[in-house]
Amino acid sequence: MKNKPNKYRFLFAGGGTGGHLFPAVAVAEKIKALKPEAEILFVGTKSKIEGTVVPKLGYKFKTIWIKGFARKFDIQNILFPLKVIVSFLQSLFINASFKPRVAIGSGGYVSGPAIWGASVLGAKVILLEQNSYPGITTRLLEKKAEQVHISFEDTKKYLKDSSKIFLTGNPVRESLKLVDKSEALKKFNFSPDKKTLLILGGSLGAASINSAVAANIKLFIENDIQVIWQTGKNYFENYKDLKDPLVWINPFIDEMSSAFSAADLLISRAGATTIAEVTTLGIPTVFVPSPNVAANHQYYNAKSLSDQDAAILLADNQVKNELGKIVLDTISDKNKLDLLLQNVKKAGKPDAALKIAQSAIKLAETL
């Protein structure tokens, strides 16, 4: 007699960047916490972040041969039609073998073929859209989805079927949480009696933010502001000599919980993952959206919060001239910091991962 197949089988597809991958990981972790017997498979590409991170986390991982279409001329674009066809065939084979009950797409070009394949073979589809302006994968797959979980109210106007849209928020992994501020400051050899500014530009770094911080670093030191500065690996060598008793500078920050807990004010790009983290934790933030992203989505992410007085929006082309003044005006104004903190926490959805995991389990049980 054959064993009855496990009905809790979930396929996750998304990646290319941490912003697309980590929300999926957060939901997968919640599903495993709620249903330890669940079988989980991630589909991604070997060469991007998911190819490294997912196997280390212990999840089954299958790869497909796909790459996004380059917006600028790239010889690799010649292979794009072939990669699309191959990736769709690979996705059908993976789904036929794994037989997911529910497929969860978290964005990025890799999720398109994998989620389409799952849908063709009868799986229920959940889409996670992290950005204010939905990506092309979400817009193309919306018809196939049972549910589309969004992070911004503004996103609704870009999608067609309001009955399947849920303003759930962007899932954040449980490992990220605030700790005691004094203890966090000790990690950077900083004092609890001074204000602390945290600078993030992503793992590679942000040229304009780094340049603006360097131009204003003496101003910050003169005003007794402690600076935790993540330059990104591409820029550390350029700025490492600016280290000071009041300036902790590194290419990466391993202990992000400590960094967030130490900060009175954050300067950051406006990627969806950062938005989710600061709204969940409640971090007063000056967002400097990257101009080099699809559909200018970082601007819309940040504007959605700034319109609620939940963050400060600073244009990339103004950051060098305006950053110093904005930091001094904000970090020294307790009322302004308190207002930002209060409003940014209102925008947070700390239960997003749990709600999406519960929805996925319910769909698996109804098939």
Side-chain angles (χ1 to χ4, degrees), residues 183-192 226 244-246 248:
E183 291 301 313
L185 287 162
K186 285 180 185 176
K187 303 271 187 185
F188 305 97
N189 293 317
F190 283 170
S191 165
Q226 301 170 144
D244 181 271
L246 289 179
W248 183 97

Side-chain angles (χ1 to χ4, degrees), residues 5-6 8-12 38-43 60 62 91-103 121:
N6 184 353
Y8 299 113
R9 292 192 309 282
F10 302 92
L11 181 141
F12 286 84
E39 295 177 37
I40 290 173
L41 174 68
F42 275 80
V43 177
K60 293 177 183 174
K62 296 285 186 182
S91 296
L92 285 172
F93 179 80
I94 289 167
N95 277 286
S97 176
F98 182 64
K99 299 180 177 63
R101 306 270 287 194
V102 179
L121 295 175

Side-chain angles (χ1 to χ4, degrees), residues 188 196-200 209 213 225-230 248 253 256 258-268 278 283-286 331:
F188 305 97
T196 301
L197 178 67
L198 173 61
I199 316 288
L200 301 176
I209 292 178
V213 172
I225 296 170
Q226 301 170 144
V227 179
I228 301 170
W229 184 3
Q230 177 186 281
W248 183 97
I253 298 173
M256 281 308 304
S258 295
F260 279 128
S261 300
D264 294 290
L265 183 66
L266 166 67
I267 310 295
S268 176
V278 302
I283 311 294
T285 303
V286 178
I331 208 166

Side-chain angles (χ1 to χ4, degrees), residues 50-310:
E50 63 272 20
T52 303
V53 170
V54 172
K56 282 184 180 177
L57 292 173
Y59 294 106
K60 293 177 183 174
F61 181 62
K62 296 285 186 182
T63 61
I64 59 175
W65 191 48
I66 185 67
K67 184 180 179 183
F69 190 84
R71 291 173 176 81
K72 296 179 181 177
F73 176 76
D74 187 331
I75 195 71
Q76 289 290 317
N77 283 345
I78 296 170
L79 289 173
F80 182 72
L82 176 62
K83 287 186 176 184
V84 169
I85 293 167
V86 171
S87 68
F88 274 76
L89 292 172
Q90 289 174 314
S91 296
L92 285 172
F93 179 80
I94 289 167
N95 277 286
S97 176
F98 182 64
K99 299 180 177 63
R101 306 270 287 194
V102 179
I104 299 164
S106 57
Y109 49 80
V110 71
S111 66
I115 299 302
W116 172 84
S119 175
V120 165
L121 295 175
K124 299 290 186 183
V125 170
I126 292 175
L127 299 179
L128 313 183
E129 178 51 62
Q130 301 89 11
N131 291 305
S132 179
Y133 181 75
I136 189 169
T137 309
T138 297
R139 284 177 279 137
L140 289 174
L141 291 172
E142 182 188 0
K143 284 183 181 178
K144 303 281 186 188
E146 296 286 320
Q147 301 173 8
V148 182
H149 292 269
I150 62 174
S151 303
F152 297 92
E153 181 73 34
D154 298 351
T155 310
K156 290 179 180 178
K157 64 188 176 190
Y158 302 110
L159 298 173
K160 294 176 181 175
D161 189 348
S162 60
S163 67
K164 55 175 76 169
I165 299 171
F166 300 86
L167 182 59
T168 314
N170 193 10
V172 175
R173 296 184 68 189
E174 281 193 334
S175 57
L176 187 71
K177 57 187 71 175
L178 292 182
V179 298
D180 179 77
K181 186 167 187 172
S182 295
E183 291 301 313
L185 287 162
K186 285 180 185 176
K187 303 271 187 185
F188 305 97
N189 293 317
F190 283 170
S191 165
D193 300 322
K194 304 180 195 301
K195 294 294 186 181
T196 301
L197 178 67
L198 173 61
I199 316 288
L200 301 176
S203 59
L204 297 180
S208 59
I209 292 178
N210 282 329
S211 177
V213 172
N216 286 282
I217 201 72
K218 285 185 179 178
L219 179 69
F220 299 152
I221 293 170
E222 287 167 3
N223 283 272
D224 228 17
I225 296 170
Q226 301 170 144
V227 179
I228 301 170
W229 184 3
Q230 177 186 281
T231 61
K233 69 176 183 179
N234 289 352
Y235 300 97
F236 179 67
E237 291 298 320
N238 297 353
Y239 300 110
K240 65 182 182 181
D241 292 338
L242 295 176
K243 189 176 180 181
D244 181 271
L246 289 179
V247 181
W248 183 97
I249 181 167
N250 245 34
F252 301 107
I253 298 173
D254 291 324
E255 296 193 38
M256 281 308 304
S257 290
S258 295
F260 279 128
S261 300
D264 294 290
L265 183 66
L266 166 67
I267 310 295
S268 176
R269 289 303 197 198
T273 298
T274 304
I275 295 270
E277 290 169 349
V278 302
T279 55
T280 296
L281 299 176
I283 311 294
T285 303
V286 178
F287 285 114
V288 184
S290 171
N292 308 310
V293 294
N296 203 20
H297 68 255
Q298 286 202 11
Y299 168 78
Y300 293 106
N301 290 350
K303 188 174 187 301
S304 182
L305 290 179
S306 69
D307 286 349
Q308 304 170 59
D309 291 325

Side-chain angles (χ1 to χ4, degrees), residues 7-10 27-28 30-38 101-102 104 126 147 354-367:
K7 64 183 175 182
Y8 299 113
R9 292 192 309 282
F10 302 92
V27 174
K30 277 293 180 188
I31 288 174
K32 286 297 280 184
L34 295 169
K35 294 289 179 184
E37 70 272 30
R101 306 270 287 194
V102 179
I104 299 164
I126 292 175
Q147 301 173 8
L354 175 62
K355 288 181 178 179
I356 296 167
Q358 289 171 333
S359 294
I361 288 167
K362 191 172 181 181
L363 282 177
E365 292 171 340
T366 56
L367 266 174

